[in-house]
């Protein structure tokens, strides 16, 4: 009973906070659109230094990635000394970042990029460096003074409950508040990227605290990992819009783990689900094929659509019944709105080549009785006009089809059946005509 009594006032206080602050997007002038850039973790883990950061920025420029829109160069874990200074400040590793973060940021900014840094909502980062719990404002100030534009915030080394008296939401709220405070001294706030691995249904609360939130654990460069992430996110696409979005984790293209077709599927799904796009592979080893995928202008344009912020969503699961959650065989038929037209993604989740086919009006973004021009976003060709349905033969194993459909007027008259949803069709005289 004693513990119940203790529990009640806290619960009431918390729910009052929620009522006073209904979930809304963190629309504070930055990251309205998904951020595109590079992050060091997946390729380098702790093996990072200032030369790597600078050479990565130069490579992004030389490879045309900056021109394609990848304009953030982000440091992940392991940049700091293990101990704070006597004053309590985080300090950069004196050997690997000997010139200091401020000077490094200046050089990278001079190349036309923005920069991102990393910390953690607990005592330590995941690799054991200082975390920001209890030092949120101090660290946000440090990151801002160093010249960073972006903070990724991890979820390792959580203090005891009797110390925090809040859950994961409260721990992230502390840094949101600190960043808001620091923003008063800057021309623009830092972008805030929540890396809480999908805990406690972050898609329900993340939008009020940050610009993106990780919905799953870390990605691995293999098809199973992609299929798992796509399946999971297929059920929460509504959480994504301007200023706040599901973060599907880094792009793992070009390190040998994925086939060319899988790499195309990876990029298509991430971009059209409007995820942030951070390249996580070794740029020195990147091939022209992979570079071609990463710089697909037509697909990037939809990811960066200034007027429509929504993700694509499945309209039919395909080989599995609708709403099946299956880690290896996610939904196959997806569509979504964009200001350029209705975008479709067809995924062949099988290990063999397959024919994929759909009726246009299965997508809620398509009008019945109209015909549509078809743009193939990978072949970069106009593929004629679609009436009623589209069939794509021979989609390779784990391959993808990305199409943009534009309304080009009424469909030809006299098409049978008279309704695309035939079973509901009724003549004006009351006779049911649909089979
Ligand atoms: C870092 O801090 C720990 C814990 O306070 C202390 O034991 C250690 O000696 C410090 N290391 C250095 C290099 O100052
Ligand atoms: C990155 O790729 C280059 C070129 O292939 C190679 O020399 C280097 O060892 C790679 N670095 C890592 C960390 O894989
Ligand atoms: C996932 O879907 C595939 C294709 O229908 C099926 O073969 C497999 O058994 C399913 N996996 C699970 C765990 O149900
Ligand atoms: C597509 O339309 C045809 C013709 O009306 C109908 O027979 C078929 O069941 C539809 N398929 C789907 C998946 O809705
Ligand atoms: C569109 O046309 C191009 C060029 O003929 C072809 O390579 C591509 O496979 C077509 N796309 C679809 C979805 O049929
Ligand atoms: C009602 O419409 C149906 C379907 O077009 C037609 O077959 C039938 O003759 C019509 N009935 C009358 C009374 O007009």
């Amino acid at each position: 009973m004693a513990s119940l009594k203790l529990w009640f006032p806290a619960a009431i206080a918390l729910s009052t906070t929620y009522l006073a602050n209904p979930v809304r997007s963190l629309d504070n002038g930055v990251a309205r659109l998904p951020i595109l850039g590079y992050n060091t973790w997946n390729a380098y883990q702790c093996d990072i230094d200032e030369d790597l950061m600078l050479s990565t920025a130069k490579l992004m420029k030389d490879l045309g990635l900056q021109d394609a829109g990848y304009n953030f160069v982000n440091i992940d874990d392991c940049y700091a000394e293990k101990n704070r200074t006597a004053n309590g400040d985080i300090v950069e590793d004196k050997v690997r970042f000997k010139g200091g973060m401020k000077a490094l940021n200046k050089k990278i900014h001079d190349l036309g990029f923005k920069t991102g840094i990393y910390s953690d909502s607990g005592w330590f980062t995941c690799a054991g460096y200082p975390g920001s719990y209890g030092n949120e404002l101090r660290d946000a100030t440090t990151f801002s003074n160093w010249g960073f534009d972006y903070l990724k915030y991890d979820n390792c080394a959580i203090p005891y409950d009797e110390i925090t008296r809040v859950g994961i939401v409260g721990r992230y709220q502390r840094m949101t508040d600190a960043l808001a405070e620091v923003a008063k001294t800057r021309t623009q706030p830092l972008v805030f990227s929540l890396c809480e691995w999908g805990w406690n249904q972050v898609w329900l609360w993340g939008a009020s605290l940050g610009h993106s939130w990780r919905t799953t654990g870390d990605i691995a460069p293999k098809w199973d990992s992609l299929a798992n992430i796509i399946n999971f996110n297929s059920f929460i696409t509504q959480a994504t819009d301007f200023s706040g979005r599901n973060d599907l984790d880094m792009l793992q293209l070009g390190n040998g783990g994925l086939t060319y077709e899988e790499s195309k599927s990876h990029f298509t799904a991430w971009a059209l689900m409007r995820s942030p796009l951070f390249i996580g592979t070794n740029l020195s080893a990147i091939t022209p094929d992979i570079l071609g995928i990463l710089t697909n202008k037509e697909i990037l344009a939809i990811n960066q659509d200034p007027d429509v912020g929504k993700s694509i969503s499945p309209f039919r699961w395909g080989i599995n019944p609708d709403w099946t959650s299956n880690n290896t065989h996610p939904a196959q038929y997806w569509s979504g709105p964009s200001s350029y037209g209705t975008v479709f993604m067809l995924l062949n989740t099988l290990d063999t080549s397959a024919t994929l086919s759909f009726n246009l009006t299965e997508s809620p973004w398509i009008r019945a009785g109209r015909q549509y021009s078809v743009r193939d976003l990978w072949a970069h060709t106009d593929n004629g006009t679609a009436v009623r349905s589209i069939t794509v033969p021979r989609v390779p194993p784990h391959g993808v089809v990305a199409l943009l459909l534009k309304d080009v007027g009424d469909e030809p008259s006299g098409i049978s059946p008279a309704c695309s949803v035939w079973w509901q069709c009724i003549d004006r005289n009351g006779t049911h005509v649909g089979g």
Side-chain angles (χ1 to χ4, degrees), residues 412-431:
S413 55
I415 294 185
S416 178
C419 297
S420 56
V421 187
W422 185 228
W423 57 272
Q424 273 185 314
C425 214
I426 287 192
D427 190 282
R428 192 171 184 173
N429 75 13
T431 304

mmCIF file of all heavy atoms in Angstrom, residues 412-431:
data_model
loop_
_atom_site.group_PDB
_atom_site.id
_atom_site.type_symbol
_atom_site.label_atom_id
_atom_site.label_comp_id
_atom_site.label_asym_id
_atom_site.label_seq_id
_atom_site.Cartn_x
_atom_site.Cartn_y
_atom_site.Cartn_z
ATOM 1 N N PRO A 412 -10.269 6.028 -70.688
ATOM 2 C CA PRO A 412 -11.146 5.848 -71.855
ATOM 3 C C PRO A 412 -12.517 5.326 -71.418
ATOM 4 O O PRO A 412 -12.610 4.585 -70.435
ATOM 5 C CB PRO A 412 -10.408 4.789 -72.683
ATOM 6 C CG PRO A 412 -8.979 4.849 -72.222
ATOM 7 C CD PRO A 412 -9.027 5.261 -70.795
ATOM 8 N N SER A 413 -13.580 5.710 -72.141
ATOM 9 C CA SER A 413 -14.922 5.305 -71.712
ATOM 10 C C SER A 413 -15.202 3.846 -72.073
ATOM 11 O O SER A 413 -14.526 3.267 -72.928
ATOM 12 C CB SER A 413 -15.978 6.213 -72.346
ATOM 13 O OG SER A 413 -15.806 6.200 -73.745
ATOM 14 N N GLY A 414 -16.150 3.263 -71.378
ATOM 15 C CA GLY A 414 -16.609 1.913 -71.702
ATOM 16 C C GLY A 414 -15.753 0.802 -71.137
ATOM 17 O O GLY A 414 -15.877 -0.349 -71.557
ATOM 18 N N ILE A 415 -14.850 1.141 -70.188
ATOM 19 C CA ILE A 415 -14.001 0.085 -69.621
ATOM 20 C C ILE A 415 -14.824 -0.788 -68.683
ATOM 21 O O ILE A 415 -15.670 -0.309 -67.934
ATOM 22 C CB ILE A 415 -12.811 0.700 -68.869
ATOM 23 C CG1 ILE A 415 -11.898 1.417 -69.862
ATOM 24 C CG2 ILE A 415 -12.037 -0.377 -68.128
ATOM 25 C CD1 ILE A 415 -10.642 1.947 -69.272
ATOM 26 N N SER A 416 -14.553 -2.088 -68.785
ATOM 27 C CA SER A 416 -15.272 -3.035 -67.943
ATOM 28 C C SER A 416 -14.300 -3.654 -66.960
ATOM 29 O O SER A 416 -13.160 -3.936 -67.321
ATOM 30 C CB SER A 416 -15.884 -4.126 -68.837
ATOM 31 O OG SER A 416 -16.538 -5.071 -68.034
ATOM 32 N N PRO A 417 -14.699 -3.868 -65.696
ATOM 33 C CA PRO A 417 -16.002 -3.525 -65.134
ATOM 34 C C PRO A 417 -16.177 -2.011 -64.950
ATOM 35 O O PRO A 417 -15.215 -1.261 -64.990
ATOM 36 C CB PRO A 417 -16.003 -4.248 -63.786
ATOM 37 C CG PRO A 417 -14.561 -4.361 -63.415
ATOM 38 C CD PRO A 417 -13.811 -4.507 -64.703
ATOM 39 N N ALA A 418 -17.432 -1.610 -64.704
ATOM 40 C CA ALA A 418 -17.755 -0.186 -64.644
ATOM 41 C C ALA A 418 -17.252 0.485 -63.370
ATOM 42 O O ALA A 418 -17.205 1.713 -63.301
ATOM 43 C CB ALA A 418 -19.270 0.003 -64.773
ATOM 44 N N CYS A 419 -16.944 -0.308 -62.359
ATOM 45 C CA CYS A 419 -16.354 0.236 -61.130
ATOM 46 C C CYS A 419 -15.059 -0.510 -60.851
ATOM 47 O O CYS A 419 -14.998 -1.731 -61.010
ATOM 48 C CB CYS A 419 -17.252 0.014 -59.905
ATOM 49 S SG CYS A 419 -18.837 0.836 -59.982
ATOM 50 N N SER A 420 -14.033 0.228 -60.389
ATOM 51 C CA SER A 420 -12.789 -0.467 -60.041
ATOM 52 C C SER A 420 -12.984 -1.311 -58.783
ATOM 53 O O SER A 420 -12.327 -2.319 -58.601
ATOM 54 C CB SER A 420 -11.646 0.529 -59.857
ATOM 55 O OG SER A 420 -11.974 1.490 -58.891
ATOM 56 N N VAL A 421 -13.925 -0.905 -57.916
ATOM 57 C CA VAL A 421 -14.292 -1.749 -56.780
ATOM 58 C C VAL A 421 -15.622 -2.428 -57.165
ATOM 59 O O VAL A 421 -16.700 -1.998 -56.788
ATOM 60 C CB VAL A 421 -14.440 -0.922 -55.483
ATOM 61 C CG1 VAL A 421 -14.642 -1.846 -54.283
ATOM 62 C CG2 VAL A 421 -13.211 -0.052 -55.261
ATOM 63 N N TRP A 422 -15.487 -3.480 -57.939
ATOM 64 C CA TRP A 422 -16.612 -4.046 -58.679
ATOM 65 C C TRP A 422 -17.676 -4.641 -57.764
ATOM 66 O O TRP A 422 -18.884 -4.492 -58.002
ATOM 67 C CB TRP A 422 -16.053 -5.094 -59.654
ATOM 68 C CG TRP A 422 -17.024 -5.725 -60.601
ATOM 69 C CD1 TRP A 422 -17.148 -7.055 -60.856
ATOM 70 C CD2 TRP A 422 -17.967 -5.070 -61.441
ATOM 71 N NE1 TRP A 422 -18.112 -7.271 -61.801
ATOM 72 C CE2 TRP A 422 -18.646 -6.060 -62.181
ATOM 73 C CE3 TRP A 422 -18.338 -3.727 -61.643
ATOM 74 C CZ2 TRP A 422 -19.647 -5.773 -63.092
ATOM 75 C CZ3 TRP A 422 -19.348 -3.442 -62.554
ATOM 76 C CH2 TRP A 422 -19.977 -4.457 -63.272
ATOM 77 N N TRP A 423 -17.288 -5.262 -56.680
ATOM 78 C CA TRP A 423 -18.260 -5.952 -55.827
ATOM 79 C C TRP A 423 -19.234 -4.983 -55.171
ATOM 80 O O TRP A 423 -20.314 -5.375 -54.753
ATOM 81 C CB TRP A 423 -17.545 -6.805 -54.763
ATOM 82 C CG TRP A 423 -16.598 -6.024 -53.880
ATOM 83 C CD1 TRP A 423 -15.291 -5.759 -54.120
ATOM 84 C CD2 TRP A 423 -16.895 -5.423 -52.618
ATOM 85 N NE1 TRP A 423 -14.740 -5.029 -53.111
ATOM 86 C CE2 TRP A 423 -15.714 -4.801 -52.162
ATOM 87 C CE3 TRP A 423 -18.061 -5.328 -51.821
ATOM 88 C CZ2 TRP A 423 -15.635 -4.104 -50.946
ATOM 89 C CZ3 TRP A 423 -17.962 -4.627 -50.613
ATOM 90 C CH2 TRP A 423 -16.770 -4.036 -50.194
ATOM 91 N N GLN A 424 -18.917 -3.698 -55.139
ATOM 92 C CA GLN A 424 -19.808 -2.716 -54.513
ATOM 93 C C GLN A 424 -20.694 -2.013 -55.537
ATOM 94 O O GLN A 424 -21.501 -1.165 -55.196
ATOM 95 C CB GLN A 424 -18.978 -1.626 -53.833
ATOM 96 C CG GLN A 424 -18.574 -1.925 -52.428
ATOM 97 C CD GLN A 424 -17.879 -0.707 -51.844
ATOM 98 O OE1 GLN A 424 -17.026 -0.105 -52.482
ATOM 99 N NE2 GLN A 424 -18.248 -0.333 -50.631
ATOM 100 N N CYS A 425 -20.519 -2.325 -56.803
ATOM 101 C CA CYS A 425 -21.064 -1.502 -57.879
ATOM 102 C C CYS A 425 -22.582 -1.699 -58.045
ATOM 103 O O CYS A 425 -23.073 -2.820 -58.073
ATOM 104 C CB CYS A 425 -20.340 -1.861 -59.175
ATOM 105 S SG CYS A 425 -20.103 -0.482 -60.277
ATOM 106 N N ILE A 426 -23.289 -0.586 -58.157
ATOM 107 C CA ILE A 426 -24.748 -0.642 -58.270
ATOM 108 C C ILE A 426 -25.217 0.311 -59.376
ATOM 109 O O ILE A 426 -24.761 1.446 -59.475
ATOM 110 C CB ILE A 426 -25.404 -0.287 -56.913
ATOM 111 C CG1 ILE A 426 -25.207 -1.448 -55.929
ATOM 112 C CG2 ILE A 426 -26.876 0.078 -57.064
ATOM 113 C CD1 ILE A 426 -26.034 -1.350 -54.668
ATOM 114 N N ASP A 427 -26.080 -0.143 -60.235
ATOM 115 C CA ASP A 427 -26.671 0.736 -61.245
ATOM 116 C C ASP A 427 -27.583 1.751 -60.555
ATOM 117 O O ASP A 427 -28.168 1.468 -59.502
ATOM 118 C CB ASP A 427 -27.482 -0.104 -62.243
ATOM 119 C CG ASP A 427 -27.911 0.707 -63.446
ATOM 120 O OD1 ASP A 427 -28.892 1.488 -63.317
ATOM 121 O OD2 ASP A 427 -27.262 0.585 -64.505
ATOM 122 N N ARG A 428 -27.725 2.913 -61.171
ATOM 123 C CA ARG A 428 -28.561 3.959 -60.571
ATOM 124 C C ARG A 428 -30.000 3.498 -60.355
ATOM 125 O O ARG A 428 -30.714 3.995 -59.480
ATOM 126 C CB ARG A 428 -28.553 5.195 -61.466
ATOM 127 C CG ARG A 428 -29.150 6.376 -60.772
ATOM 128 C CD ARG A 428 -28.949 7.650 -61.544
ATOM 129 N NE ARG A 428 -29.466 8.763 -60.772
ATOM 130 C CZ ARG A 428 -29.337 10.028 -61.102
ATOM 131 N NH1 ARG A 428 -28.680 10.349 -62.198
ATOM 132 N NH2 ARG A 428 -29.845 10.975 -60.348
ATOM 133 N N ASN A 429 -30.424 2.514 -61.183
ATOM 134 C CA ASN A 429 -31.798 1.995 -61.003
ATOM 135 C C ASN A 429 -31.883 1.006 -59.847
ATOM 136 O O ASN A 429 -32.933 0.421 -59.609
ATOM 137 C CB ASN A 429 -32.336 1.400 -62.320
ATOM 138 C CG ASN A 429 -31.717 0.030 -62.657
ATOM 139 O OD1 ASN A 429 -31.066 -0.594 -61.819
ATOM 140 N ND2 ASN A 429 -31.916 -0.410 -63.882
ATOM 141 N N GLY A 430 -30.777 0.812 -59.105
ATOM 142 C CA GLY A 430 -30.820 -0.024 -57.902
ATOM 143 C C GLY A 430 -30.361 -1.451 -58.113
ATOM 144 O O GLY A 430 -30.238 -2.213 -57.161
ATOM 145 N N THR A 431 -30.071 -1.822 -59.357
ATOM 146 C CA THR A 431 -29.642 -3.201 -59.626
ATOM 147 C C THR A 431 -28.154 -3.362 -59.299
ATOM 148 O O THR A 431 -27.327 -2.566 -59.752
ATOM 149 C CB THR A 431 -29.875 -3.564 -61.108
ATOM 150 O OG1 THR A 431 -31.248 -3.355 -61.403
ATOM 151 C CG2 THR A 431 -29.487 -5.011 -61.387
#
